[in-house]
Amino acid sequence: MKKLVVFASGSGSNFQSIIDAILNGQLNARIVGLMSNKEEAYCLKRASENDIPTVILKASDYTSEFEYEQKLLEQLHTWEADVIILAGYLRKIPASIIDAFPNNILNIHPSLLPKYGGKGFYGIKVHKAVLEANEEESGCTIHIVSREYDEGPVLGQSRVPVLKTDTPEQLAERVLIQEHKLYPAIIQQHLESLKN
Ligand code: GRF
């Protein structure tokens, strides 16, 4: 069974949807660890409730970026990670990690990429930009992580309508419902593609 390491910095509702998909048999994988960079993040609580080991690594705790990346890599090897799942991880993944897991780092972004992606487009800012541009639809995208922010081959998208009355928070909520369905399904699809 493939081993997943989830990276998260926030609430971890996507992390939860992956845990739930494993529990209900929709996703055939094991989460061997949660990597975070925020001590107070709610995703850590979700991990402890589900007996998932957690490690918090912050680049600022190391004297050099190299040392930090070495530590990160070492931990991923200790966990014997097959696939890395980014679920609201608010730090750019170092190139050395991307190179160590070629085509095996997945990310979810709350827009229909390539629209509203790249540096500065995260969290509620994405949904504000969508509303300001009077878009009629939005959604979420799951893609393979490459060296550039929010680029890399797209594995799947879900669309939602944008309502005239939407606040950014209401739009975020509608997109998030789709995220929770799409991410486990795409992870399962990706794991099946690895077997061939
Ligand atoms: C999601 O909107 C995801 O698309 C983005 O960060 C958010 C994480 O939410 N990358 P949660 O922590 O999973 O609730």
Side-chain angles (χ1 to χ4, degrees):
M1 196 181 288
K2 294 289 181 194
K3 298 185 183 112
L4 310 179
V5 170
V6 177
F7 279 44
S9 311
S11 142
S13 69
N14 276 289
F15 173 43
Q16 186 69 53
S17 76
I18 297 163
I19 295 171
D20 294 344
I22 291 173
L23 290 174
N24 70 29
Q26 188 203 344
L27 176 55
N28 184 27
R30 191 153 73 86
I31 303 174
V32 290
L34 173 73
M35 178 65 74
S36 188
N37 55 349
K38 297 254 188 280
E39 286 106 348
E40 71 287 4
Y42 191 70
C43 56
L44 295 167
K45 189 161 187 284
R46 298 184 195 268
S48 78
E49 281 169 0
N50 288 280
D51 296 323
I52 296 169
T54 58
V55 167
I56 299 169
L57 280 189
K58 291 190 280 186
S60 57
D61 288 344
Y62 295 87
T63 48
S64 70
E65 173 71 19
F66 177 77
E67 209 187 313
Y68 159 72
E69 291 180 22
Q70 286 297 108
K71 191 76 197 154
L72 198 52
L73 209 48
E74 199 181 291
Q75 185 57 52
L76 293 170
H77 287 143
T78 302
W79 276 331
E80 299 180 343
D82 293 306
V83 177
I84 296 173
I85 305 295
L86 307 184
Y89 186 67
L90 295 177
R91 189 181 196 275
K92 196 168 183 192
I93 299 299
S96 60
I97 306 294
I98 296 173
D99 293 348
F101 290 86
N103 295 318
N104 272 320
I105 307 181
L106 272 53
N107 182 43
I108 187 160
H109 185 79
S111 77
L112 295 173
L113 290 174
K115 284 184 161 185
Y116 309 103
K119 212 164 171 32
F121 281 120
Y122 59 88
I124 208 72
K125 291 184 182 190
V126 175
H127 306 294
K128 277 186 183 154
V130 169
L131 291 177
E132 273 161 22
N134 288 316
E135 295 282 1
E136 288 183 352
E137 66 172 6
S138 190
C140 55
T141 302
I142 292 159
H143 65 97
I144 301 273
V145 173
S146 65
R147 284 183 176 217
E148 298 308 316
Y149 252 140
D150 297 330
E151 291 184 15
V154 169
L155 299 180
Q157 289 186 316
S158 278
R159 292 164 187 274
V160 302
V162 176
L163 308 182
K164 295 240 177 295
T165 55
D166 267 343
T167 62
E169 290 74 17
Q170 285 168 331
L171 178 57
E173 205 176 303
R174 195 172 313 115
V175 171
L176 201 56
I177 292 170
Q178 294 308 315
E179 292 186 34
H180 296 160
K181 292 183 193 161
L182 188 66
Y183 216 177
I186 295 289
I187 295 168
Q188 176 62 27
Q189 199 178 296
H190 180 73
L191 297 182
E192 282 169 16
S193 79
L194 296 179
K195 285 178 196 156
N196 303 327

